[in-house]
Amino acid sequence: MKKTNIIDLHCCSSFCYLLFLLVSVFVSLCSCDEHYASSHGGLTDKEVSYIKQRQLLYYRDEFGDRGENVTVDPSLVFENPRLRNAYIALQAWKKAILSDPFNLTADWVGSEVCDYTGVYCAPALDNKRIKTVAGIDLNHGDIAGYLPEELGLLTDLALFHINSNRFCGTVPHKFIKLKLMFELDLSNNRFAGKFPEVILKLPLLKFLDLRFNEFEGTVPKELFDKDLDAIFINHNRFRFNLPDNFGNSPVSVIVLANNKFHGCVPASLGNMTSLEEIILMNNGFRSCLPEQIGGLRNMTVFDVSFNELMGTLPEQIGGMVSLEQLNVAHNMLSGKIPASICRLPKLENFTFSYNFFTGEPPVCLGLRAFDDRRNCLPARPLQRSAAQCRSFLSRPVDCNSFRCAPFVPSLPSPPPPSPPPVVVLSPPPPSPVFIPQSPPPPPPPPVYSPPPPSPPPPPPPPVYSPPPPPPSATATSNRSIIRFTSTATFLLILSRISL
């Protein structure tokens, strides 16, 4: 089939596109493009054929075995069943690795999986007498391949870092078994397809990094209801409007730059009181900036550059007292710059070039770094032409025309319910004891009605269980540094892993 015919089929059928992608493009994406493989030389015809075969096999059986069958040598001795499962998972992964130029997995041999390069073990959280695989770090390995479903056997895995490699395909469905996953870093690879929704099923996940991949389509709105501390999904091909529940996210940093988001910058952003950094640059947002952002007093970096934002800068930005970096360049904003913004106590850099601002307070000229080029500012250099300014400013902006959802303040979390009181039931009074005596002469026999039935014995006092204790693994984060506070072992792991 000619290549042009395959491309035509791509326009009609996603399946044919997938086949074309795998057979014709996979080698360049995963193994021998200029960016990654030029320093390692080209692949032989045999290697190219092997890569095509393995990647096609991956998609033929997406939900199950892809040919990484692992046979465990009966002579191997494992300390416990979890390490045996880890051996199976890692050997399957080694079979799914198509190129390892730095030989990071060369020592993945034998039953001592805790000695494998990039594999870190620790006592299991549920049984400290059992050693198990708790972390994997293969960052910057330039490894080509994919992730097999057998990785779901690593049920104690808390850290999974594989950034800056050439892994392709999708995220395994059996990642759903990784209930202790805390940090997931798949950045700077060649993963593709829709947003990996299995991530939404990881209950302890705090740090998610999917940036610099080929994911596409929409992002599930449930992502913003998860208790995450950091979300990096920039430099993909996601395309959708930010949902109204965006402001539910408790993250301290979120980066959505260089995608295809569009629509409104949601007013619910004002509910993200824990937010410290947000970067929305180079998308297609088209709205006014919501005034509610002024309540984000912990914000240090706010970047909405290279969008289609209109209207004025809200005066309320002057309430963002922690702001250090403010970038609204390359939009269609207008009006006068509020002086309160340039008086922010920590503001170091204010970039508002390539807009249509008409007024700039003198206090802004005293900032350490600012950029006011290509606006409509009188008596300032490098401004737009008078004709450009007249043409744009002659059309007033109505922020209501964007029909953005109104701001709905989030309600404070209700206090936990008090445990029900313990009800103690008093035992019934003892029955009287009668001592029989000699009866007197009987009177005429009276007529007795039958006695009432005896009452049933009282039920035992109810036993109320105390409320469950808080989770044993709590975590704090300062951007890219995240550490466990539950056990000293995890602190040791994290001190050894390059974050």
Side-chain angles (χ1 to χ4, degrees), residues 68-379:
E68 307 86 22
N69 294 320
V70 175
T71 302
V72 181
D73 188 333
S75 65
L76 294 178
V77 177
F78 297 93
E79 187 176 322
N80 59 65
R82 300 191 197 190
L83 292 181
R84 186 180 188 276
N85 284 340
Y87 171 83
I88 295 173
L90 295 172
Q91 293 304 315
W93 194 8
K94 187 173 181 178
K95 288 189 174 186
I97 288 175
L98 313 172
S99 174
D100 182 3
F102 301 127
N103 292 320
L104 296 181
T105 61
D107 64 356
W108 286 19
V109 179
S111 60
E112 299 297 328
V113 297
C114 296
D115 294 333
Y116 290 4
T117 296
V119 178
Y120 299 88
C121 292
L125 288 179
D126 59 336
N127 187 344
K128 299 190 186 308
R129 293 176 296 178
I130 296 178
K131 186 165 62 173
T132 186
V133 173
I136 289 177
D137 175 24
L138 292 176
N139 287 348
H140 305 284
D142 197 23
I143 300 172
Y146 55 91
L147 305 182
E149 292 288 342
E150 284 84 351
L151 290 175
L153 294 171
L154 301 173
T155 54
D156 296 295
L157 199 63
L159 310 176
F160 190 69
H161 292 178
I162 57 169
N163 78 57
S164 302
N165 286 284
R166 289 175 285 143
F167 288 109
C168 295
T170 58
V171 179
H173 298 279
K174 290 184 181 177
F175 264 39
I176 195 173
K177 297 182 178 182
L178 308 184
K179 300 299 184 182
L180 299 181
M181 182 66 72
F182 188 80
E183 293 186 18
L184 181 61
D185 184 356
L186 308 179
S187 62
N188 200 20
N189 279 283
R190 299 302 172 88
F191 292 107
K194 295 182 179 180
F195 182 93
E197 295 200 16
V198 66
I199 289 172
L200 303 176
K201 308 296 184 182
L202 304 178
L204 298 184
L205 190 67
K206 287 289 185 179
F207 181 95
L208 174 63
D209 195 345
L210 303 181
R211 56 187 159 173
F212 292 97
N213 278 288
E214 303 290 336
F215 292 113
E216 60 188 22
T218 63
V219 174
K221 66 179 184 178
E222 292 80 6
L223 177 68
F224 306 111
D225 289 323
K226 280 191 67 64
D227 187 19
L228 292 168
D229 183 72
I231 297 175
F232 297 93
I233 58 174
N234 49 294
H235 290 83
N236 280 281
R237 298 180 181 180
F238 293 122
R239 180 188 297 271
F240 78 125
N241 289 9
L242 288 181
D244 294 338
N245 71 324
F246 179 74
N248 293 353
S249 180
V251 293
S252 64
V253 56
I254 183 167
V255 184
L256 310 181
N258 293 286
N259 280 285
K260 299 295 182 182
F261 299 127
H262 45 268
C264 298
V265 174
S268 65
L269 180 62
N271 287 323
M272 301 173 72
T273 55
S274 300
L275 192 59
E276 298 177 12
E277 297 184 17
I278 184 169
I279 301 178
L280 305 177
M281 66 175 294
N282 197 25
N283 280 285
F285 293 112
R286 187 179 179 87
S287 71
C288 295
L289 282 173
E291 62 184 30
Q292 288 78 14
I293 62 177
L296 302 177
R297 301 178 64 85
N298 295 317
M299 184 77 72
T300 61
V301 177
F302 186 82
D303 189 340
V304 291
S305 59
F306 291 90
N307 283 288
E308 301 176 29
L309 301 177
M310 297 185 181
T312 61
L313 282 181
E315 178 78 32
Q316 290 83 354
I317 293 179
M320 301 169 72
V321 294
S322 300
L323 200 59
E324 300 172 6
Q325 310 285 333
L326 175 60
N327 192 342
V328 297
H330 291 270
N331 280 288
M332 293 181 282
L333 298 166
S334 56
K336 295 182 178 180
I337 303 288
S340 60
I341 295 178
C342 296
R343 293 194 183 103
L344 286 168
K346 298 182 179 180
L347 189 63
E348 298 178 358
N349 190 313
F350 182 19
T351 303
F352 51 96
S353 54
Y354 291 89
N355 280 285
F356 293 88
F357 290 113
T358 56
E360 179 182 31
V363 66
C364 293
L365 303 180
L367 290 173
R368 182 181 303 177
F370 72 96
D371 187 351
D372 63 0
R373 293 173 299 159
R374 295 293 183 265
N375 279 286
C376 301
L377 301 170

